[in-house]
Amino acid sequence: MFARESTTRLLSETGGLSAFTGRFFRNLFKPRFEAAEFVRQCLLIGYKSLPLIGLTAFIMGLVLTMQLRPSMIEYGVASQLPAMVGIAIIREIGPVITALIFAGKIGSSIGAELGSMKVTEQIDAMEVSGTNPFKYLVVTRVLACLFMLPVLVLLGDAISLYGSYIGVNIKGATSFSLFFTQVFDNLAFSDVLPAFIKSFFFGWAVGLIGCYKGYFSSKGTEGVGRSANSAVVVASIVIFLLDLLAVQVTDALGIN
Amino acid sequence: MIILQPNKKPAPAAVQPAVITVSDLFRSFGSNHVLNGFDLTLHRGEIVVVLGRSGSGKSVLIKCIIGLIAPDAGRIEVLGADISSLSQDALDQVRAKIGFLFQSNALYDSMTVRENLEFPLRRHWIQVHQAELDGLVRAVLQDVGLEHTIDMMPASLSGGMQKRIALARTLMLKPEIILYDEPTAGLDPITGREIIDLILQVRNKYGSSALIISHDMRCVRLTADRIVLLLDGVAYATGSYQELSASNDSQIQQFFNS
């Protein structure tokens, strides 16, 4: 009974999200373009996420380096520490962790904001005043997430590598230029490009799921809370699924 | 179904052309048949109150009229246009001539009062001079007696003030018709009376027609030129307050004697 209900709910959610995605693409190319709102959302989503993402990226780089160091020393490859940390951060940990934090901060905020607007009839008021609320609220937010997450990933990677440099120097002495030379000498274009491309997909998924959950929030404050929560949960799962898919694609293309 | 038409002589507004005509409107939600062939006419300059119990489909009716809910069957004509057959652009043009006061006020809580009031104008006027816009905002705020709130956030205003600001927002486009969804719900008697006075002032100043959804009998008595009683999804009775309150029909009397 429970399994059947869960399956029905999963299929219904998947269908709803697919229809929502179709609506997003239909509205994306239709005038009028909400440029001012898009820029405002880029500022809110990108700039205001930077402190949290910067802090977590710094700690992540530092901790990763400190935890890898003993094993690297044990295997006699301590000199390869910057290269290893660099590849791990650029290829996988940077984009995925940044996207997960982004889902937690921005996905939930979009879900709660749109959910609250829905239950207080603000979305209806917008429609009545001759505004297409889907274009104004959804398309602008999804596009802002799509373009801002890759920027945040790049900044997060840079901050994370700086954290790693500090980590290396806590129990050793490596110059700034030597550390970054070792990092970049061991990075190939095929390490950077797939990671950068997949961050666009992660951003798109976080924006779309946050908007979907908020836009179809059920009545009441409980519904708003549930929308915010499930926006984070679903977006996090989708990030991992997209990551899995990205690995398969890059593998198949021979750039892994 | 009993349809009372007690008003033998037409009210003055009835000689004016119809601005809203609802014919044979049906709307269901699952097995819940909310509207079962509802009919209504609103004439230019008239105030019609749709009276009904909570959950009787009053809000569904005005959301159908403004095009927020699609009816299952029936015809809705607003200012001569069939709402259900309009393209999105044409519907937006019709909506620009209609003001809608939501029960929850629906003020944009991330915007100041000024931005809330400017929003509908910015959507309909591509080029608008900021000085002109500012003048319009201040004039409308003066009409509702809240000029000093111009740079405040909606959350810092009382319920009655929010209602006035919401009404001011509907007035920004000088609408020909204003739809009021429970305008006095949740307000204390004094603030409720202020909103009622404001509705009458707006009619006198702007000459707009009004369709009010309410179950507040004081609001009904003070504002209605004509009342339409919504019962079991149909227009059960129509007439002035005096005519309906004098009716012997038990279904009508339960509203007036409660």
Side-chain angles (χ1 to χ4, degrees):
Chain A
M1 188 67 181
F2 177 74
R4 207 171 76 175
E5 268 178 26
S6 300
T7 309
T8 309
R9 202 166 54 233
L10 177 70
L11 291 174
S12 154
E13 283 283 295
T14 309
L17 189 56
S18 305
F20 195 76
T21 308
R23 197 173 163 191
F24 167 77
F25 283 113
R26 277 197 306 278
N27 277 277
L28 180 61
F29 301 106
K30 236 196 302 184
R32 114 192 217 177
F33 301 106
E34 305 285 357
E37 180 62 12
F38 167 68
V39 172
R40 196 177 78 91
Q41 287 303 324
C42 283
L43 180 74
L44 287 174
I45 288 170
Y47 176 68
K48 292 200 171 170
S49 306
L50 189 56
L52 179 67
I53 284 172
L55 178 71
T56 48
F58 179 79
I59 294 170
M60 186 177 69
L62 184 74
V63 170
L64 186 68
T65 306
M66 290 176 74
Q67 290 198 335
L68 272 175
R69 189 184 179 88
S71 306
M72 300 292 276
I73 290 171
E74 196 180 324
Y75 288 104
V77 284
S79 62
Q80 292 300 309
L81 189 56
M84 179 146 181
V85 170
I87 289 172
I89 286 171
I90 301 288
R91 283 186 70 138
E92 184 61 25
I93 299 173
V96 172
I97 298 291
T98 306
L100 289 173
I101 293 163
F102 189 76
K105 180 165 168 60
I106 300 301
S108 64
S109 136
I110 291 176
E113 186 188 11
L114 295 197
S116 158
M117 288 184 78
K118 173 83 178 174
V119 300
T120 55
E121 297 180 305
Q122 290 176 54
I123 292 180
D124 284 346
M126 211 165 260
E127 193 166 349
V128 165
S129 70
T131 301
N132 177 344
F134 198 91
K135 277 192 80 70
Y136 189 83
L137 298 172
V138 176
V139 173
T140 53
R141 279 165 176 75
V142 175
L143 287 181
C145 288
L146 173 81
F147 289 112
M148 284 300 103
L149 184 59
V151 175
L152 289 168
V153 166
L154 287 179
L155 291 170
D157 285 354
I159 294 168
S160 203
L161 288 175
Y162 186 72
S164 175
Y165 164 70
I166 302 281
V168 165
N169 279 284
I170 285 175
K171 287 188 178 170
T174 305
S175 73
F176 189 80
S177 62
L178 179 62
F179 176 84
F180 280 95
T181 304
Q182 279 192 323
V183 169
F184 290 117
D185 278 353
N186 288 281
L187 275 178
F189 189 62
S190 60
D191 294 320
V192 180
L193 189 66
F196 186 62
I197 290 173
K198 74 182 175 187
S199 64
F200 280 96
F201 286 94
F202 292 165
W204 176 72
V206 170
L208 197 76
I209 291 163
C211 287
Y212 171 70
K213 291 291 178 184
Y215 207 79
F216 293 110
S217 177
S218 53
K219 291 273 178 188
T221 46
E222 192 193 337
V224 175
R226 210 181 303 132
S227 297
N229 181 268
S230 80
V232 179
V233 173
V234 176
S236 303
I237 293 168
V238 170
I239 286 166
F240 283 116
L241 290 175
L242 285 172
D243 196 37
L244 187 66
L245 189 69
V247 170
Q248 302 302 317
V249 171
T250 49
D251 221 17
L253 294 173
I255 49 174
N256 217 355
Chain B
M1 205 62 68
I2 307 163
I3 305 291
L4 293 180
Q5 290 180 315
N7 47 336
K8 296 281 188 289
K9 63 172 183 183
V15 297
Q16 295 286 330
V19 287
I20 294 179
T21 310
V22 176
S23 322
D24 213 18
L25 193 69
F26 286 82
R27 185 62 164 100
S28 302
F29 295 93
S31 59
N32 182 17
H33 303 291
V34 178
L35 298 172
N36 287 315
F38 185 84
D39 298 295
L40 172 100
T41 306
L42 174 70
H43 298 96
R44 190 172 298 282
E46 190 182 22
I47 297 183
V48 168
V49 175
V50 176
L51 175 64
R53 297 177 62 180
S54 297
S56 59
K58 304 187 296 296
S59 295
V60 172
L61 170 68
I62 51 169
K63 285 185 177 173
C64 285
I65 290 171
I66 197 82
L68 285 174
I69 295 178
D72 296 333
R75 187 177 169 85
I76 300 169
E77 268 190 34
V78 179
L79 299 166
D82 180 359
I83 286 292
S84 54
S85 66
L86 293 177
S87 67
Q88 190 59 49
D89 287 345
L91 180 61
D92 287 344
Q93 291 307 311
V94 173
R95 281 172 170 168
K97 297 172 187 166
I98 307 172
F100 193 119
L101 183 68
F102 285 86
Q103 186 176 352
S104 61
N105 305 322
L107 292 171
Y108 308 124
D109 48 20
S110 60
M111 300 182 193
T112 63
V113 167
R114 182 199 298 273
E115 288 164 341
N116 262 281
L117 267 59
E118 286 176 355
F119 191 83
L121 272 184
R122 288 192 187 278
R123 311 313 297 174
H124 286 281
W125 295 3
I126 304 301
Q127 295 282 323
V128 56
H129 200 272
Q130 187 57 45
E132 190 184 357
L133 193 55
D134 196 55
L136 282 167
V137 168
R138 287 185 186 279
V140 171
L141 278 176
Q142 215 165 21
D143 285 344
V144 299
L146 290 174
E147 209 184 343
H148 64 284
T149 64
I150 191 161
D151 290 316
M152 291 168 77
M153 297 302 285
S156 60
L157 303 174
S158 68
M161 288 164 102
Q162 286 187 16
K163 188 70 79 183
R164 282 161 174 259
I165 298 296
L167 181 55
R169 188 176 61 184
T170 68
L171 296 176
M172 286 300 290
L173 290 169
K174 308 269 185 291
E176 292 181 40
I177 306 165
I178 304 181
L179 308 177
Y180 296 90
D181 190 359
E182 305 277 10
T184 55
L187 300 177
D188 65 80
I190 298 165
T191 312
R193 178 63 205 235
E194 286 171 1
I195 297 296
I196 290 167
D197 290 342
L198 212 48
I199 291 171
L200 295 171
Q201 280 170 29
V202 164
R203 195 256 293 261
N204 293 336
K205 181 167 180 182
Y206 294 88
S208 47
S209 318
L211 183 66
I212 302 175
I213 299 297
S214 187
H215 53 219
D216 172 2
M217 293 312 290
R218 186 177 60 155
C219 174
V220 175
R221 178 169 53 83
L222 293 171
T223 57
D225 293 328
R226 191 157 54 88
I227 300 166
V228 175
L229 183 59
L230 171 57
L231 211 62
D232 298 326
V234 298
Y236 183 80
T238 178
S240 67
Y241 186 89
Q242 288 73 19
E243 288 165 339
L244 290 188
S245 60
S247 166
N248 293 324
D249 187 282
S250 59
Q251 296 271 41
I252 299 172
Q253 275 311 302
Q254 64 182 347
F255 285 93
F256 291 86
N257 292 338
S258 56

